[in-house]
Amino acid sequence: MKPTIVLVHGAYAESSSWNDVITPLVDEGHRVIAWAVPLRGVARDAAALTDLVRSIDGPVVLVGHSYGGALLSSVPADAGDVQGLVFVAGYALEPGESCGDASSLAPGGTLGPTLTRVPLGDGGVDTYIDPARYHHQFAEDLPEAQTTQMAVTQRPVTEAALFEPSGDPPLWRTVPSWFVFGELDRNIPAGAHRIMAERAGSRRTVEIAGASHVVGMSHPAETVRIVLEAADAAASATV
């Protein structure tokens, strides 16, 4: 049985960031869900993702970009038949580690100074990437006309979510994982991705030369290839 593939976007993006990945996966016969992430907090968002996973019959492969990877790590092992995790420039967090912590595992991250803050009525704060800095910070390997639209449609993440510690145990300790990321990721440095992939025991790690943080958009073919590799492994495991 072919697994359902759940695509989990990250902060400062939205579900359409998966558009160039969706069609090739559907063409291979997979049910695909591009889930709209609330971006309110790791535990809260992971609980909502867990509810979705529990509703799916059969094997599942979870694919997470950036903050979405932190949610993959926090889905409990008994949530459903999750057979594979794919981190697309995504956070694979240790227990007690936040996205902010993981971004500091290696030098080179420049996200913080690009953020603008919007105070919320509940005392929290939403964060956005300054539109004037979005192209360079987030997606320099995409056309500027495209990133201008992305900057306008970006969805904010709460400041608290970026520093919320991950729970225990991470799902990647019991479910096989795959990693793909860009050499020139300015949100999560490539060195940090390498550390997370190594400690998660990645089945295969692909670092794409010259690619930015939105490697799933700028290099969809390579992203699809690694997602299908995970899906094929999941299908074999359930035979």
Side-chain angles (χ1 to χ4, degrees), residues 74-227:
S74 297
V75 170
D78 63 354
D81 189 15
V82 180
Q83 292 288 332
L85 305 173
V86 182
F87 294 89
V88 180
Y91 290 105
L93 301 180
E94 290 273 16
E97 185 177 54
S98 71
C99 295
D101 295 333
S103 292
S104 300
L105 290 171
T110 57
L111 176 63
T114 73
L115 296 181
T116 61
R117 303 168 79 251
V118 176
L120 303 176
D122 63 2
V125 174
D126 263 350
T127 66
Y128 297 79
I129 296 177
D130 179 350
R133 305 174 77 173
Y134 190 96
H135 175 76
H136 176 73
Q137 175 62 38
F138 200 67
E140 196 167 33
D141 53 353
L142 292 179
E144 285 200 51
Q146 182 178 3
T147 60
T148 296
Q149 290 188 333
M150 291 167 61
V152 171
T153 61
Q154 67 174 299
R155 292 183 51 224
V157 66
T158 64
E159 190 171 66
L162 298 178
F163 297 97
E164 181 180 342
S166 183
D168 184 25
L171 189 57
W172 49 257
R173 283 192 179 161
T174 54
V175 175
S177 60
W178 288 256
F179 286 72
V180 57
F181 56 88
E183 173 198 13
L184 301 182
D185 189 332
R186 293 188 172 95
N187 279 28
I188 310 170
H193 285 302
R194 295 184 203 113
I195 291 169
M196 289 187 284
E198 181 176 0
R199 71 190 187 186
S202 174
R203 291 281 185 93
R204 189 158 74 93
T205 301
V206 177
E207 180 175 342
I208 298 180
S212 73
H213 186 58
V214 294
V215 64
M217 299 180 72
S218 59
H219 294 270
E222 293 94 329
T223 302
V224 167
R225 193 173 301 122
I226 201 165
V227 172

